[in-house]
Amino acid sequence: MRAQSSPSRRCLESSLLVLAGLFPPSQSWSNNSQLAQLWQPIAVETTEKPRAWLLNSEAYCPAATNFEGNITEIPSVKKFLSNHREFINKLEKYTGENLTSWYDVGYIWDTLFAEKEYFGNNFVKPKWLELVGNDTWERLYQFNEMEIGVFDLSLPYQRLRTGLFLKQILLNMNKTVSQTTITKENRQFYTYSSHDTFISYVLQAFGFFHRK
């Protein structure tokens, strides 16, 4: 098998956790460790962020960056940001954050959502949510949805951000189908650990996302 991950720590840790569950040791690889009865080390491949084109949607790509920089000129995005200008100003005031990009607003919802899922009933909403307005949570979600869905109809952008990954998937499938014997070199199991944004771009490339 082969495991690959985005260089982000949470992605690497998720990959290691999945592998630990999938491949428990059949026998202890260390006679002096209780941990060795439950876990064995499995390599996870990664690379630094600027060159992580395979699994990181923020890897260095001038063409993609240029497209992202011009995204605010799209009429629907321009109208959306104009309608939410006062909301963004309130967020900066009550959160103390310097929101240099509209993407930052979506990231706020992403963080709150992760905390809510983790803490469950013990999740405590920050006080500024109500100070900004009684619909702050819903409006933050709209930013998060727009942040991902705005690339839904851009095939060139999807190709730039997911093309290498989809090509790798096809190569893996063709190689597995064509092999006649199973060896260490002829892998049949591949795992990839990435981000929700990257996964959404992959879904968009297949036509499955469409802001849902």
Side-chain angles (χ1 to χ4, degrees), residues 49-86:
K49 184 177 178 179
R51 298 194 306 117
W53 301 294
L54 183 67
L55 292 169
N56 193 301
S57 56
E58 295 182 357
Y60 177 71
C61 176
T65 300
N66 181 64
F67 186 91
E68 292 162 357
N70 295 326
I71 203 71
T72 54
E73 297 304 314
I74 295 178
S76 59
V77 177
K78 183 178 292 187
K79 180 180 179 181
F80 176 81
L81 295 179
S82 177
N83 292 339
H84 288 80
R85 175 50 53 193
E86 183 180 353

mmCIF file of all heavy atoms in Angstrom, residues 49-86:
data_model
loop_
_atom_site.group_PDB
_atom_site.id
_atom_site.type_symbol
_atom_site.label_atom_id
_atom_site.label_comp_id
_atom_site.label_asym_id
_atom_site.label_seq_id
_atom_site.Cartn_x
_atom_site.Cartn_y
_atom_site.Cartn_z
ATOM 1 N N LYS A 49 4.654 22.465 1.495
ATOM 2 C CA LYS A 49 3.440 23.076 0.953
ATOM 3 C C LYS A 49 3.610 23.695 -0.437
ATOM 4 O O LYS A 49 2.749 23.483 -1.309
ATOM 5 C CB LYS A 49 2.898 24.116 1.932
ATOM 6 C CG LYS A 49 1.585 24.748 1.494
ATOM 7 C CD LYS A 49 1.061 25.706 2.545
ATOM 8 C CE LYS A 49 -0.217 26.388 2.092
ATOM 9 N NZ LYS A 49 -0.759 27.305 3.123
ATOM 10 N N PRO A 50 4.666 24.474 -0.709
ATOM 11 C CA PRO A 50 4.771 25.091 -2.039
ATOM 12 C C PRO A 50 4.770 24.077 -3.183
ATOM 13 O O PRO A 50 4.378 24.413 -4.298
ATOM 14 C CB PRO A 50 6.108 25.851 -1.964
ATOM 15 C CG PRO A 50 6.284 26.143 -0.513
ATOM 16 C CD PRO A 50 5.752 24.929 0.196
ATOM 17 N N ARG A 51 5.228 22.843 -2.900
ATOM 18 C CA ARG A 51 5.289 21.823 -3.952
ATOM 19 C C ARG A 51 4.250 20.716 -3.763
ATOM 20 O O ARG A 51 4.312 19.686 -4.432
ATOM 21 C CB ARG A 51 6.689 21.207 -4.006
ATOM 22 C CG ARG A 51 7.798 22.181 -4.340
ATOM 23 C CD ARG A 51 9.091 21.475 -4.724
ATOM 24 N NE ARG A 51 9.527 20.530 -3.713
ATOM 25 C CZ ARG A 51 9.641 19.213 -3.915
ATOM 26 N NH1 ARG A 51 9.320 18.700 -5.098
ATOM 27 N NH2 ARG A 51 10.055 18.423 -2.950
ATOM 28 N N ALA A 52 3.292 20.933 -2.869
ATOM 29 C CA ALA A 52 2.294 19.891 -2.570
ATOM 30 C C ALA A 52 1.126 19.956 -3.547
ATOM 31 O O ALA A 52 -0.040 20.034 -3.153
ATOM 32 C CB ALA A 52 1.811 20.037 -1.128
ATOM 33 N N TRP A 53 1.438 19.931 -4.838
ATOM 34 C CA TRP A 53 0.400 20.085 -5.869
ATOM 35 C C TRP A 53 -0.587 18.929 -5.870
ATOM 36 O O TRP A 53 -1.735 19.098 -6.275
ATOM 37 C CB TRP A 53 1.057 20.214 -7.247
ATOM 38 C CG TRP A 53 1.993 21.361 -7.348
ATOM 39 C CD1 TRP A 53 1.681 22.694 -7.285
ATOM 40 C CD2 TRP A 53 3.411 21.298 -7.503
ATOM 41 N NE1 TRP A 53 2.815 23.460 -7.399
ATOM 42 C CE2 TRP A 53 3.900 22.631 -7.538
ATOM 43 C CE3 TRP A 53 4.326 20.257 -7.625
ATOM 44 C CZ2 TRP A 53 5.244 22.934 -7.687
ATOM 45 C CZ3 TRP A 53 5.674 20.546 -7.778
ATOM 46 C CH2 TRP A 53 6.121 21.877 -7.809
ATOM 47 N N LEU A 54 -0.173 17.767 -5.433
ATOM 48 C CA LEU A 54 -1.029 16.587 -5.508
ATOM 49 C C LEU A 54 -2.244 16.688 -4.592
ATOM 50 O O LEU A 54 -3.349 16.292 -4.971
ATOM 51 C CB LEU A 54 -0.229 15.324 -5.157
ATOM 52 C CG LEU A 54 -0.985 13.997 -5.256
ATOM 53 C CD1 LEU A 54 -1.337 13.698 -6.707
ATOM 54 C CD2 LEU A 54 -0.164 12.853 -4.657
ATOM 55 N N LEU A 55 -2.062 17.250 -3.367
ATOM 56 C CA LEU A 55 -3.129 17.171 -2.367
ATOM 57 C C LEU A 55 -3.418 18.473 -1.621
ATOM 58 O O LEU A 55 -4.228 18.478 -0.695
ATOM 59 C CB LEU A 55 -2.779 16.076 -1.335
ATOM 60 C CG LEU A 55 -2.792 14.632 -1.854
ATOM 61 C CD1 LEU A 55 -2.175 13.693 -0.836
ATOM 62 C CD2 LEU A 55 -4.206 14.207 -2.197
ATOM 63 N N ASN A 56 -2.766 19.552 -1.998
ATOM 64 C CA ASN A 56 -2.998 20.807 -1.283
ATOM 65 C C ASN A 56 -3.423 21.896 -2.267
ATOM 66 O O ASN A 56 -2.669 22.249 -3.175
ATOM 67 C CB ASN A 56 -1.735 21.237 -0.527
ATOM 68 C CG ASN A 56 -2.008 22.348 0.474
ATOM 69 O OD1 ASN A 56 -2.466 23.419 0.105
ATOM 70 N ND2 ASN A 56 -1.725 22.092 1.736
ATOM 71 N N SER A 57 -4.620 22.434 -2.073
ATOM 72 C CA SER A 57 -5.159 23.422 -3.009
ATOM 73 C C SER A 57 -4.551 24.803 -2.827
ATOM 74 O O SER A 57 -4.935 25.745 -3.525
ATOM 75 C CB SER A 57 -6.683 23.510 -2.855
ATOM 76 O OG SER A 57 -7.042 23.815 -1.525
ATOM 77 N N GLU A 58 -3.602 24.946 -1.891
ATOM 78 C CA GLU A 58 -2.916 26.217 -1.711
ATOM 79 C C GLU A 58 -1.444 26.128 -2.117
ATOM 80 O O GLU A 58 -0.656 27.019 -1.826
ATOM 81 C CB GLU A 58 -3.026 26.674 -0.255
ATOM 82 C CG GLU A 58 -4.460 26.980 0.182
ATOM 83 C CD GLU A 58 -4.546 27.476 1.605
ATOM 84 O OE1 GLU A 58 -3.502 27.528 2.280
ATOM 85 O OE2 GLU A 58 -5.659 27.812 2.050
ATOM 86 N N ALA A 59 -1.078 25.039 -2.789
ATOM 87 C CA ALA A 59 0.288 24.895 -3.278
ATOM 88 C C ALA A 59 0.571 25.961 -4.330
ATOM 89 O O ALA A 59 -0.346 26.499 -4.961
ATOM 90 C CB ALA A 59 0.496 23.499 -3.857
ATOM 91 N N TYR A 60 1.863 26.255 -4.525
ATOM 92 C CA TYR A 60 2.266 27.334 -5.438
ATOM 93 C C TYR A 60 1.836 27.039 -6.863
ATOM 94 O O TYR A 60 2.232 26.041 -7.469
ATOM 95 C CB TYR A 60 3.775 27.524 -5.384
ATOM 96 C CG TYR A 60 4.288 28.574 -6.347
ATOM 97 C CD1 TYR A 60 4.027 29.919 -6.120
ATOM 98 C CD2 TYR A 60 5.013 28.212 -7.472
ATOM 99 C CE1 TYR A 60 4.479 30.882 -7.005
ATOM 100 C CE2 TYR A 60 5.479 29.171 -8.367
ATOM 101 C CZ TYR A 60 5.205 30.515 -8.120
ATOM 102 O OH TYR A 60 5.656 31.463 -9.003
ATOM 103 N N CYS A 61 1.004 27.908 -7.410
ATOM 104 C CA CYS A 61 0.558 27.790 -8.804
ATOM 105 C C CYS A 61 0.171 29.184 -9.278
ATOM 106 O O CYS A 61 -0.908 29.688 -8.932
ATOM 107 C CB CYS A 61 -0.634 26.840 -8.923
ATOM 108 S SG CYS A 61 -1.302 26.727 -10.608
ATOM 109 N N PRO A 62 1.031 29.873 -10.028
ATOM 110 C CA PRO A 62 0.757 31.247 -10.464
ATOM 111 C C PRO A 62 -0.572 31.402 -11.201
ATOM 112 O O PRO A 62 -1.299 32.371 -10.988
ATOM 113 C CB PRO A 62 1.941 31.566 -11.373
ATOM 114 C CG PRO A 62 3.038 30.681 -10.884
ATOM 115 C CD PRO A 62 2.366 29.416 -10.469
ATOM 116 N N ALA A 63 -0.906 30.442 -12.059
ATOM 117 C CA ALA A 63 -2.147 30.543 -12.829
ATOM 118 C C ALA A 63 -3.367 30.469 -11.918
ATOM 119 O O ALA A 63 -4.315 31.245 -12.062
ATOM 120 C CB ALA A 63 -2.210 29.435 -13.881
ATOM 121 N N ALA A 64 -3.344 29.545 -10.961
ATOM 122 C CA ALA A 64 -4.466 29.412 -10.022
ATOM 123 C C ALA A 64 -4.549 30.629 -9.111
ATOM 124 O O ALA A 64 -5.643 31.124 -8.818
ATOM 125 C CB ALA A 64 -4.310 28.142 -9.192
ATOM 126 N N THR A 65 -3.406 31.114 -8.659
ATOM 127 C CA THR A 65 -3.382 32.292 -7.791
ATOM 128 C C THR A 65 -3.937 33.514 -8.509
ATOM 129 O O THR A 65 -4.665 34.326 -7.927
ATOM 130 C CB THR A 65 -1.952 32.581 -7.314
ATOM 131 O OG1 THR A 65 -1.457 31.448 -6.590
ATOM 132 C CG2 THR A 65 -1.903 33.799 -6.405
ATOM 133 N N ASN A 66 -3.604 33.639 -9.785
ATOM 134 C CA ASN A 66 -4.118 34.753 -10.575
ATOM 135 C C ASN A 66 -5.642 34.673 -10.699
ATOM 136 O O ASN A 66 -6.339 35.690 -10.581
ATOM 137 C CB ASN A 66 -3.489 34.740 -11.972
ATOM 138 C CG ASN A 66 -3.966 35.896 -12.832
ATOM 139 O OD1 ASN A 66 -3.724 37.062 -12.537
ATOM 140 N ND2 ASN A 66 -4.659 35.568 -13.903
ATOM 141 N N PHE A 67 -6.151 33.468 -10.888
ATOM 142 C CA PHE A 67 -7.602 33.284 -10.980
ATOM 143 C C PHE A 67 -8.259 33.643 -9.655
ATOM 144 O O PHE A 67 -9.293 34.315 -9.621
ATOM 145 C CB PHE A 67 -7.921 31.837 -11.349
ATOM 146 C CG PHE A 67 -9.374 31.583 -11.602
ATOM 147 C CD1 PHE A 67 -9.906 31.702 -12.875
ATOM 148 C CD2 PHE A 67 -10.216 31.237 -10.567
ATOM 149 C CE1 PHE A 67 -11.251 31.483 -13.113
ATOM 150 C CE2 PHE A 67 -11.567 31.015 -10.781
ATOM 151 C CZ PHE A 67 -12.082 31.133 -12.063
ATOM 152 N N GLU A 68 -7.671 33.212 -8.548
ATOM 153 C CA GLU A 68 -8.217 33.499 -7.222
ATOM 154 C C GLU A 68 -8.214 34.997 -6.947
ATOM 155 O O GLU A 68 -9.127 35.533 -6.305
ATOM 156 C CB GLU A 68 -7.400 32.755 -6.160
ATOM 157 C CG GLU A 68 -7.554 31.243 -6.219
ATOM 158 C CD GLU A 68 -6.442 30.505 -5.494
ATOM 159 O OE1 GLU A 68 -5.505 31.164 -4.993
ATOM 160 O OE2 GLU A 68 -6.503 29.270 -5.430
ATOM 161 N N GLY A 69 -7.168 35.689 -7.442
ATOM 162 C CA GLY A 69 -7.066 37.122 -7.215
ATOM 163 C C GLY A 69 -8.129 37.923 -7.950
ATOM 164 O O GLY A 69 -8.489 39.025 -7.525
ATOM 165 N N ASN A 70 -8.624 37.354 -9.048
ATOM 166 C CA ASN A 70 -9.629 38.055 -9.852
ATOM 167 C C ASN A 70 -11.053 37.601 -9.558
ATOM 168 O O ASN A 70 -11.988 38.040 -10.223
ATOM 169 C CB ASN A 70 -9.335 37.842 -11.343
ATOM 170 C CG ASN A 70 -8.025 38.481 -11.762
ATOM 171 O OD1 ASN A 70 -7.647 39.529 -11.240
ATOM 172 N ND2 ASN A 70 -7.319 37.846 -12.693
ATOM 173 N N ILE A 71 -11.201 36.747 -8.581
ATOM 174 C CA ILE A 71 -12.514 36.154 -8.306
ATOM 175 C C ILE A 71 -13.538 37.195 -7.875
ATOM 176 O O ILE A 71 -14.733 37.060 -8.115
ATOM 177 C CB ILE A 71 -12.383 35.053 -7.223
ATOM 178 C CG1 ILE A 71 -13.551 34.072 -7.342
ATOM 179 C CG2 ILE A 71 -12.315 35.632 -5.837
ATOM 180 C CD1 ILE A 71 -13.496 33.197 -8.553
ATOM 181 N N THR A 72 -13.060 38.276 -7.240
ATOM 182 C CA THR A 72 -13.996 39.297 -6.756
ATOM 183 C C THR A 72 -14.603 40.116 -7.892
ATOM 184 O O THR A 72 -15.522 40.900 -7.664
ATOM 185 C CB THR A 72 -13.306 40.258 -5.771
ATOM 186 O OG1 THR A 72 -12.135 40.805 -6.395
ATOM 187 C CG2 THR A 72 -12.903 39.521 -4.498
ATOM 188 N N GLU A 73 -14.102 39.935 -9.111
ATOM 189 C CA GLU A 73 -14.647 40.652 -10.257
ATOM 190 C C GLU A 73 -15.829 39.917 -10.883
ATOM 191 O O GLU A 73 -16.511 40.464 -11.753
ATOM 192 C CB GLU A 73 -13.558 40.865 -11.312
ATOM 193 C CG GLU A 73 -12.401 41.732 -10.829
ATOM 194 C CD GLU A 73 -12.874 43.089 -10.320
ATOM 195 O OE1 GLU A 73 -13.704 43.710 -11.013
ATOM 196 O OE2 GLU A 73 -12.426 43.515 -9.239
ATOM 197 N N ILE A 74 -16.059 38.692 -10.443
ATOM 198 C CA ILE A 74 -17.228 37.957 -10.929
ATOM 199 C C ILE A 74 -18.485 38.655 -10.400
ATOM 200 O O ILE A 74 -18.575 38.936 -9.206
ATOM 201 C CB ILE A 74 -17.182 36.489 -10.454
ATOM 202 C CG1 ILE A 74 -15.984 35.771 -11.084
ATOM 203 C CG2 ILE A 74 -18.481 35.768 -10.803
ATOM 204 C CD1 ILE A 74 -15.829 34.337 -10.642
ATOM 205 N N PRO A 75 -19.443 38.979 -11.253
ATOM 206 C CA PRO A 75 -20.624 39.743 -10.833
ATOM 207 C C PRO A 75 -21.325 39.191 -9.590
ATOM 208 O O PRO A 75 -21.696 39.961 -8.692
ATOM 209 C CB PRO A 75 -21.531 39.668 -12.068
ATOM 210 C CG PRO A 75 -20.576 39.543 -13.209
ATOM 211 C CD PRO A 75 -19.460 38.689 -12.703
ATOM 212 N N SER A 76 -21.511 37.887 -9.518
ATOM 213 C CA SER A 76 -22.217 37.307 -8.369
ATOM 214 C C SER A 76 -21.431 37.498 -7.078
ATOM 215 O O SER A 76 -22.007 37.760 -6.008
ATOM 216 C CB SER A 76 -22.476 35.819 -8.598
ATOM 217 O OG SER A 76 -21.261 35.116 -8.787
ATOM 218 N N VAL A 77 -20.096 37.382 -7.158
ATOM 219 C CA VAL A 77 -19.252 37.571 -5.980
ATOM 220 C C VAL A 77 -19.223 39.041 -5.583
ATOM 221 O O VAL A 77 -19.311 39.380 -4.396
ATOM 222 C CB VAL A 77 -17.820 37.067 -6.246
ATOM 223 C CG1 VAL A 77 -16.923 37.332 -5.030
ATOM 224 C CG2 VAL A 77 -17.824 35.583 -6.572
ATOM 225 N N LYS A 78 -19.115 39.912 -6.578
ATOM 226 C CA LYS A 78 -19.085 41.347 -6.300
ATOM 227 C C LYS A 78 -20.368 41.795 -5.600
ATOM 228 O O LYS A 78 -20.339 42.571 -4.630
ATOM 229 C CB LYS A 78 -18.891 42.116 -7.606
ATOM 230 C CG LYS A 78 -18.761 43.624 -7.426
ATOM 231 C CD LYS A 78 -18.526 44.311 -8.767
ATOM 232 C CE LYS A 78 -17.175 43.951 -9.339
ATOM 233 N NZ LYS A 78 -16.866 44.751 -10.571
ATOM 234 N N LYS A 79 -21.493 41.301 -6.062
ATOM 235 C CA LYS A 79 -22.776 41.643 -5.449
ATOM 236 C C LYS A 79 -22.872 41.085 -4.032
ATOM 237 O O LYS A 79 -23.335 41.765 -3.101
ATOM 238 C CB LYS A 79 -23.924 41.106 -6.298
ATOM 239 C CG LYS A 79 -25.294 41.415 -5.741
ATOM 240 C CD LYS A 79 -26.407 40.863 -6.640
ATOM 241 C CE LYS A 79 -27.774 41.171 -6.053
ATOM 242 N NZ LYS A 79 -28.869 40.628 -6.911
ATOM 243 N N PHE A 80 -22.415 39.860 -3.853
ATOM 244 C CA PHE A 80 -22.457 39.209 -2.545
ATOM 245 C C PHE A 80 -21.635 39.994 -1.522
ATOM 246 O O PHE A 80 -22.087 40.264 -0.405
ATOM 247 C CB PHE A 80 -21.919 37.782 -2.660
ATOM 248 C CG PHE A 80 -21.822 37.049 -1.358
ATOM 249 C CD1 PHE A 80 -22.945 36.449 -0.796
ATOM 250 C CD2 PHE A 80 -20.610 36.955 -0.678
ATOM 251 C CE1 PHE A 80 -22.852 35.761 0.411
ATOM 252 C CE2 PHE A 80 -20.510 36.279 0.521
ATOM 253 C CZ PHE A 80 -21.634 35.682 1.066
ATOM 254 N N LEU A 81 -20.420 40.394 -1.903
ATOM 255 C CA LEU A 81 -19.546 41.133 -0.998
ATOM 256 C C LEU A 81 -20.095 42.525 -0.702
ATOM 257 O O LEU A 81 -19.981 43.025 0.426
ATOM 258 C CB LEU A 81 -18.139 41.233 -1.593
ATOM 259 C CG LEU A 81 -17.390 39.909 -1.742
ATOM 260 C CD1 LEU A 81 -16.024 40.142 -2.374
ATOM 261 C CD2 LEU A 81 -17.226 39.226 -0.390
ATOM 262 N N SER A 82 -20.707 43.152 -1.698
ATOM 263 C CA SER A 82 -21.303 44.468 -1.492
ATOM 264 C C SER A 82 -22.448 44.401 -0.488
ATOM 265 O O SER A 82 -22.580 45.272 0.385
ATOM 266 C CB SER A 82 -21.813 45.019 -2.825
ATOM 267 O OG SER A 82 -22.465 46.258 -2.644
ATOM 268 N N ASN A 83 -23.243 43.344 -0.578
ATOM 269 C CA ASN A 83 -24.372 43.173 0.333
ATOM 270 C C ASN A 83 -23.928 42.836 1.762
ATOM 271 O O ASN A 83 -24.720 43.005 2.704
ATOM 272 C CB ASN A 83 -25.302 42.077 -0.173
ATOM 273 C CG ASN A 83 -26.017 42.457 -1.457
ATOM 274 O OD1 ASN A 83 -26.130 43.639 -1.779
ATOM 275 N ND2 ASN A 83 -26.490 41.470 -2.200
ATOM 276 N N HIS A 84 -22.692 42.362 1.899
ATOM 277 C CA HIS A 84 -22.215 41.927 3.215
ATOM 278 C C HIS A 84 -21.083 42.806 3.755
ATOM 279 O O HIS A 84 -20.408 42.429 4.702
ATOM 280 C CB HIS A 84 -21.725 40.468 3.152
ATOM 281 C CG HIS A 84 -22.833 39.466 3.000
ATOM 282 N ND1 HIS A 84 -23.429 39.208 1.797
ATOM 283 C CD2 HIS A 84 -23.453 38.667 3.913
ATOM 284 C CE1 HIS A 84 -24.361 38.283 1.948
ATOM 285 N NE2 HIS A 84 -24.407 37.942 3.231
ATOM 286 N N ARG A 85 -20.890 43.970 3.166
ATOM 287 C CA ARG A 85 -19.800 44.852 3.600
ATOM 288 C C ARG A 85 -19.963 45.259 5.059
ATOM 289 O O ARG A 85 -19.012 45.225 5.841
ATOM 290 C CB ARG A 85 -19.754 46.093 2.696
ATOM 291 C CG ARG A 85 -18.736 47.163 3.114
ATOM 292 C CD ARG A 85 -17.357 46.591 3.352
ATOM 293 N NE ARG A 85 -16.888 45.801 2.217
ATOM 294 C CZ ARG A 85 -15.827 45.006 2.278
ATOM 295 N NH1 ARG A 85 -15.155 44.886 3.427
ATOM 296 N NH2 ARG A 85 -15.447 44.326 1.218
ATOM 297 N N GLU A 86 -21.155 45.646 5.447
ATOM 298 C CA GLU A 86 -21.398 46.046 6.841
ATOM 299 C C GLU A 86 -21.183 44.873 7.787
ATOM 300 O O GLU A 86 -20.643 45.034 8.889
ATOM 301 C CB GLU A 86 -22.820 46.578 6.996
ATOM 302 C CG GLU A 86 -23.130 47.087 8.405
ATOM 303 C CD GLU A 86 -24.543 47.620 8.540
ATOM 304 O OE1 GLU A 86 -25.246 47.719 7.512
ATOM 305 O OE2 GLU A 86 -24.943 47.942 9.685
#
